[in-house]
Amino acid sequence: MRLRGLLFTLLLVSAAQAQQGFPFTNESLRYSIDYTSGLSLGEAVFTATHSTAGWTFEATVNAAVPGFAISDTLRGSATNDLCSTEFSRDLSNGSKKTREKMTFDEKTGKAHRVTTLPSEGGETTFTIPSCARDALTYVYFGRRELGQGRVPHPQEVFFGNAYSTKMEYLGPQNLIVKDKHTVTDHLVISVKGPKSDFSFEVFYARDAARTPVEIRIPAPAGTLTAKLSQ
């Protein structure tokens, strides 16, 4: 009986250890951002906090190259089903600054956007699909779907405007993560909007939380790479 009790306890402990991070617990992930040459540009931090009302997400990016600084903050609120209720972005990319807030009303099928920077931004109201998702919430929705063995279906994602977004699974890939060889799942995320059409790569750990361990974003003269540091 004692041995059986010990084994049962160990199973419970191992299960609890496996289910850490989103969508099981609150989470904070820190990434270092490097250029192709190895030059360190800054860092990004993603946090997810759960309450009875749902999830609150935040992402901050602070990076710089000579003559160009980036200081961005994104915040999103979503239901437990990961349907967006609110999204705000405060962006400072060199001399260009953007500040706006969106509220989503699933009952009416409408979203309301207020742009305070640039000052001529004004207000707009537009139609949204059922269970609409902002860009930040979509990041976490993708992880939850992958954790359940599914690749998210193509859908509209909101980041100011609506963007057609698709995730494509390319297979396993070995990476060095925190000095250890790790098998990850390699996906490409394609994004197409009114004035943009681009894609980037994400490598997800094969843990219960499907933690993104590396993100590669094409840049004009190379690739920006965000690597999990904490």
Side-chain angles (χ1 to χ4, degrees):
M1 290 296 293
R2 289 182 179 178
L3 179 58
R4 185 178 300 171
L6 176 61
L7 290 173
F8 182 68
T9 301
L10 290 174
L11 285 172
L12 289 177
V13 170
S14 64
Q17 289 175 340
Q19 295 185 343
Q20 295 296 310
F22 176 85
F24 311 107
T25 63
N26 294 345
E27 176 186 85
S28 180
L29 302 176
R30 188 178 299 271
Y31 296 82
S32 61
I33 303 174
D34 304 311
Y35 204 50
T36 304
S37 62
L39 176 67
S40 177
L41 303 180
E43 69 171 17
V45 179
F46 288 77
T47 60
T49 306
H50 190 253
S51 69
T52 54
W55 286 93
T56 299
F57 305 118
E58 180 173 296
T60 59
V61 179
N62 289 285
V65 295
F68 191 88
I70 298 173
S71 180
D72 296 345
T73 300
L74 306 176
R75 294 185 177 91
S77 298
T79 65
N80 285 311
D81 290 331
L82 299 184
C83 305
S84 292
T85 56
E86 190 173 285
F87 176 66
S88 65
R89 55 180 188 152
D90 191 345
L91 313 179
S92 178
N93 297 177
S95 60
K96 184 178 180 180
K97 300 183 186 300
T98 302
R99 185 177 300 133
E100 69 178 23
K101 181 177 179 179
M102 296 178 64
T103 53
F104 298 79
D105 189 336
E106 188 173 9
K107 291 183 179 179
T108 63
K110 300 287 185 180
H112 185 66
R113 179 175 67 184
V114 178
T115 304
T116 53
L117 277 179
S119 56
E120 66 273 16
E123 301 184 28
T124 56
T125 299
F126 49 92
T127 302
I128 56 174
S130 176
C131 194
R133 296 184 177 93
D134 62 81
L136 189 54
T137 297
Y138 177 76
V139 169
Y140 289 91
F141 169 73
R143 289 176 57 186
R144 191 187 68 177
E145 291 294 284
L146 291 173
Q148 296 177 358
R150 300 188 293 262
V151 176
H153 57 81
Q155 60 191 268
E156 277 192 327
V157 173
F158 293 89
F159 190 77
N161 293 314
Y163 292 82
S164 298
T165 307
K166 181 178 70 173
M167 296 181 71
E168 181 182 2
Y169 178 65
L170 298 186
Q173 181 152 340
N174 290 302
L175 290 182
I176 296 178
V177 180
K178 297 182 181 180
D179 299 323
K180 294 182 179 180
H181 288 277
T182 305
V183 178
T184 66
D185 285 316
H186 181 196
L187 285 96
V188 170
I189 301 177
S190 302
V191 181
K192 186 174 183 178
K195 298 180 180 180
S196 59
D197 188 352
F198 64 94
S199 61
F200 58 95
E201 301 172 86
V202 185
F203 300 83
Y204 295 89
R206 290 183 166 182
D207 57 6
R210 310 300 282 168
T211 306
V213 295
E214 188 169 314
I215 304 165
R216 298 176 186 172
I217 304 169
T223 301
L224 298 178
T225 302
K227 293 184 178 181
L228 183 67
S229 57
Q230 288 184 356

